[in-house]
Amino acid sequence: MIANGLRRIGRHGRLALIVGLAGGLALPSLSAAMKPALPWLVAGLIFLSALRIGMRAAVGNLGEARASLGRVLVLQVAVPVVGVALLIAAGLADTPAGLALTLALSAPSIAGSPAFAVMLSRDPAPAMRLLILGTALFPLTVLPVLWLSPALGGFSEVAGAALRLVAVILAATGAAFALRRRFFPEPSPDTVGVIDGLLAIALAVLVVGLMSAVVPALSGDPLRFLGWLALACAMNFGLQFAAHAAGLPPGACIVAGNRNVALFLVALPAATTDPVLIFIGCYQVPMYLTPMLMGRVYRTG
């Protein structure tokens, strides 16, 4: 009975994300209470994604590793360096909007990108490879951005948070790969369906906690909220469309727009991140709408 219910949820995972967004907006007290549990929820999401994919598909062959490395360098070095240079030229680098764009452009993939690929019926392995490799290389890829934009803080602060995230990813994926190899090295479609349902639930629960900064802004200054939401949507979907036009696989396109901006909350001082908390909250909206809105775009990707 429970397994059948999970499979049903997995088949309608995109609707579960909408329910999570609505829950985060409608239940601000629950959202605030869940905030301390976010690191554990992220770890659980990575575990479930790795459990579904398996080590062989996640690691890939040498050619796929080279392609993933090239994509990480483009997404986390070339794109943010060009973006910061343009912001400096326009005199916007020191504004809250400029700082928000700098953080989002330089961040690695969100933990949920492989699960989004699953919901879009696309191969989640490319997104998983970019998640693991991009996070592992983040302490290095962020260096040029730190040099261009001193407002981000010192390297040791950002690198420390990135290394902690690497440790979480390695622990979660290692445990998942070992569990899958021991109990179901070749999972049946029914088993995969159960994992998909658990992934959808984990994503829906996670977004409730991530929306804790949005409700106060929405009720206090709706026009300001809409401005930040428009910026978040333009960047997220704009990068996904650009990556798709460049011929990247859907998993890589999802990563291009959906970045772990919240990583900087544990890496930078509050004085730096407080002005962009509303952007980080608003950024969850296009993230969680990606499986709902981008299906037609990736159908032939």
Side-chain angles (χ1 to χ4, degrees):
M1 181 71 73
I2 295 177
N4 288 334
L6 288 172
R7 294 187 195 103
R8 191 173 297 109
I9 292 172
R11 288 193 295 270
H12 301 283
R14 288 175 286 186
L15 292 178
L17 299 188
I18 302 301
V19 171
L21 277 174
L25 292 172
L27 303 169
S29 58
L30 176 61
S31 180
M34 288 178 58
K35 194 174 180 180
L38 289 179
W40 294 100
L41 291 171
V42 170
L45 183 60
I46 295 171
F47 173 86
L48 290 171
S49 296
L51 188 66
R52 187 195 192 280
I53 297 168
M55 184 171 66
R56 186 180 305 171
V59 174
N61 56 38
L62 182 59
E64 290 168 336
R66 288 174 177 168
S68 297
L69 176 60
R71 289 163 187 160
V72 167
L73 294 178
V74 169
L75 293 175
Q76 292 180 212
V77 179
V79 171
V81 165
V82 171
V84 172
L86 292 174
L87 288 169
I88 292 173
L92 299 173
D94 292 332
T95 64
L99 176 59
L101 291 175
T102 299
L103 297 180
L105 288 172
S106 57
S109 169
I110 61 167
S113 56
F116 287 176
V118 169
M119 292 180 183
L120 287 161
S121 300
R122 311 306 300 183
D123 182 10
M128 191 69 179
R129 285 192 286 270
L130 289 178
L131 167 62
I132 296 171
L133 188 60
T135 305
L137 293 178
F138 178 66
L140 298 177
T141 62
V142 78
L143 281 175
V145 184
L146 287 174
W147 180 75
L148 282 174
S149 181
L152 285 182
F155 168 72
S156 60
E157 296 170 323
V158 179
L163 290 174
R164 287 192 294 273
L165 189 59
V166 169
V168 170
I169 289 177
L170 291 178
T173 55
F177 292 156
L179 182 65
R180 173 163 165 158
R181 183 177 180 179
R182 174 66 178 83
F183 292 104
F184 45 91
E186 299 294 336
S188 66
D190 284 347
T191 300
V192 172
V194 169
I195 299 174
D196 287 347
L198 292 172
L199 275 170
I201 292 172
L203 282 165
V205 172
L206 178 63
V207 76
V208 174
L210 290 172
M211 296 294 285
S212 59
V214 171
V215 175
L218 180 59
S219 58
D221 192 344
L223 290 179
R224 178 169 173 264
F225 164 79
L226 290 175
W228 281 108
L229 180 61
L231 179 66
C233 290
M235 187 203 143
N236 186 308
F237 292 127
L239 287 174
Q240 289 193 65
F241 278 112
H244 181 71
L248 295 182
C253 297
I254 293 169
V255 170
N258 293 284
R259 309 291 191 94
N260 188 11
V261 194
L263 169 66
F264 289 97
L265 292 180
V266 294
L268 299 176
T272 301
T273 57
D274 281 350
V276 297
L277 282 177
I278 184 174
F279 173 82
I280 295 174
C282 288
Y283 203 62
Q284 309 310 310
V285 175
M287 278 185 187
Y288 278 73
L289 290 179
T290 288
M292 182 70 71
L293 300 181
M294 298 299 287
R296 183 174 298 179
V297 176
Y298 297 141
R299 191 168 297 160
T300 57

